[in-house]
Amino acid sequence: MTTQNAPASMYRATEGLGVWEHRGKVAAVGVGHSLTTRRWDGRPETTVGANSIFALRQAIEDAGVSPDQIDGLVLDPVTTTGAHWPEGDPIPMDVVNAYNQTDDPLDGIAKLSAEWLLKNMSELKNVKYTMYGQGCMSHAIVVAAQAVGEGRTHTCLVLKGWHNLEGRYNQSGISASDTVPGTFALSPGRTLWGAPGSYGTALQFAEYCRKYGKSHDMMAPFMENSRKNGLRFPEGYWAQHRPEELTEEDYLAARWIAKPASLFDNDIPIMVSGAYLFTTAERAKDLKQKPVYILNHASSRGAQRSILPTLDEVEAETAATGRKLYEGAGITAADLSFENMYDGFSLFHQFHLEGLGFAGIKNGEALDFYQTDISIEGPNPILPSGGNIGSGRSRFWMHTDCIQQLQGRAGARQITGVKPEIGVSGGPMPMGGNFTVWSASPD
Amino acid sequence: MTPFSAYARFLLTYPGNMNILEWNKLSDFSDFNEDFGNYQRQVQNMVKQGVVPDELTKGFFEAANDGRLVMQNCNACSRLQNPPAATCSQCKSADNLEWKEMSGKGKIYNYGVVYDCPVKLLQDNQPFNLAVITLDEDPGIQMYSHLPGTPVDQVPVGGRVEVLFEETANGQMVPEWRVVG
């Protein structure tokens, strides 16, 4: 079985598409996660492949379906956090040989194919539909939702796994080279000028602060709230390994990475895998967990004019994303009980919020909004998941939390200030990502 | 305080009969030391990674070696673009792209200060400014700059800049920008 990248037609990337034709007809019913680690320790049982098998089996068990009933698998085959297998380094054959192999010995170690998973999960006998939603879990979710809605798969696993290797973030490979190709030198990303990953977001934030008269220290309540919620997420990295509150003093004293982005404004790269089980709303009614219905998915495909998106470009794109989400879901901003948009880098979360018009906030108002009650006990819960600032970079805590909040099983994170009825999650970037509207009810 | 005013204070209060390094240790000139260190880092040439031009960027880097700044321009759309691409980002055609010479004048649109640079060759220069310049010919077109000569975190957003050309590790010249006026 050869797995393809999902075609563009599976993503709802433009405005004017109307209400999603499968609104309320696809449901999430199972959730699974592996343990988190900062980096791979070299053992066969802790590879991204092993973690992913664990997460998938957990999601299957959580949903209460039999593995032979599963007929679909959607995942992101790219698992890097920024770490790539060093060229010329020997591949650990004891690890490779611990599993059934594909043609690529790094499969299951530094990448992950559907083929590798199916070779190593013999219980998945009836998977006929596989597809890649390349990017992150947000991509895989919308592809799986669309596939179930279209009837391509009936009971579908959705997966995202991450590997992280030794070495500092993005400092190997071309960053350590004495020369770079011309195209790379002029590219918008890491380039000849040495921009860290958070540099672009830092500049958008700087422009935002200049335009609206805001400052970096106004982020502190958001950061404290995110870590607090993250510590209530037992599956997350900080809860499992470093159960430390983040105080305003900690945040303001943190070293800069790309000023005005500091250390804590960057989510910590980790190893973890997460999985969900999607099925039709009809079938979901009889399963173990309360179904969480998908009202819509929408995608952002913003293109900046030159090297870095300007504030105007970012604000236009996030506003369009908000309109697409509401149009397809048939709801308005007032219908959102909470939000779980991506936050890793923290300094762009306000763009997502303002684009949504969450709690009525407009452009330039989010940092003032952060000074109000944004906790799970308050009227406007912001990132009850704690996001990736609160639990490490998986880019899926937000989705897990939406599902668990609407099922009423978010544990210590359970929202109490409002009744959780509709939530939104997605990412990663304001200029490009995929977003999902989740609901406790199909209507 | 600029490094020069701190330096003037340092010299004016130096008693003359003491080893200058001892005086530096005993006196509270930490601001001078820090500012001057930052200043030195900015005025010294930050040697960037060498560049190996490829098909797409050959015209850009050849012009840089001649001391000229060029941008890709679509003749059909009369529209500049950067970074260079195989096709015009507007009409999607590859047939009408050419390199057009720029005046080398622009403005500082925005900046950040890099403290944790992924590029090994630049790490000794941290912290350093990393600014985005917009070109006078089209303010929608941006370029990066370390703003050589501008003290760290003292970047005049909106300030005028002009292009200069700097040698990278393998001798390839690349455009940089300095504050003027």
Side-chain angles (χ1 to χ4, degrees), chain A residues 178 183 207 259 305-306 308, chain B residues 50 54 82 109 138 142 153:
Chain A
D178 290 337
T183 300
E207 189 178 359
K259 190 181 176 186
R305 170 80 197 281
S306 192
L308 291 178
Chain B
D54 45 28
N82 188 49
Y109 177 68
D138 182 342
Q142 304 166 332
D153 211 1

Side-chain angles (χ1 to χ4, degrees), chain A residues 168 171 174-175 177-180 182-183 186 188 193 199 203 207 210 255-257 259 305-308, chain B residues 48-50 52 54 79-80 82-83 109-110 112-113 115-116 118 120 123 130 138 140 142 144 146 153 176:
Chain A
R168 294 211 54 214
Q171 296 206 5
I174 203 159
S175 293
S177 170
D178 290 337
T179 59
V180 295
T183 300
L186 300 180
W193 277 260
Y199 170 79
L203 260 64
E207 189 178 359
R210 276 197 298 276
R255 69 182 176 89
W256 298 114
I257 301 295
K259 190 181 176 186
R305 170 80 197 281
S306 192
I307 292 173
L308 291 178
Chain B
K48 298 174 176 65
Q49 289 166 292
V52 180
D54 45 28
R79 192 171 190 262
L80 297 170
N82 188 49
Y109 177 68
N110 204 346
V113 181
Y115 284 77
D116 198 341
K120 191 177 168 190
Q123 287 171 350
L130 181 48
D138 182 342
Q142 304 166 332
Y144 282 125
H146 288 138
D153 211 1
E176 258 297 355

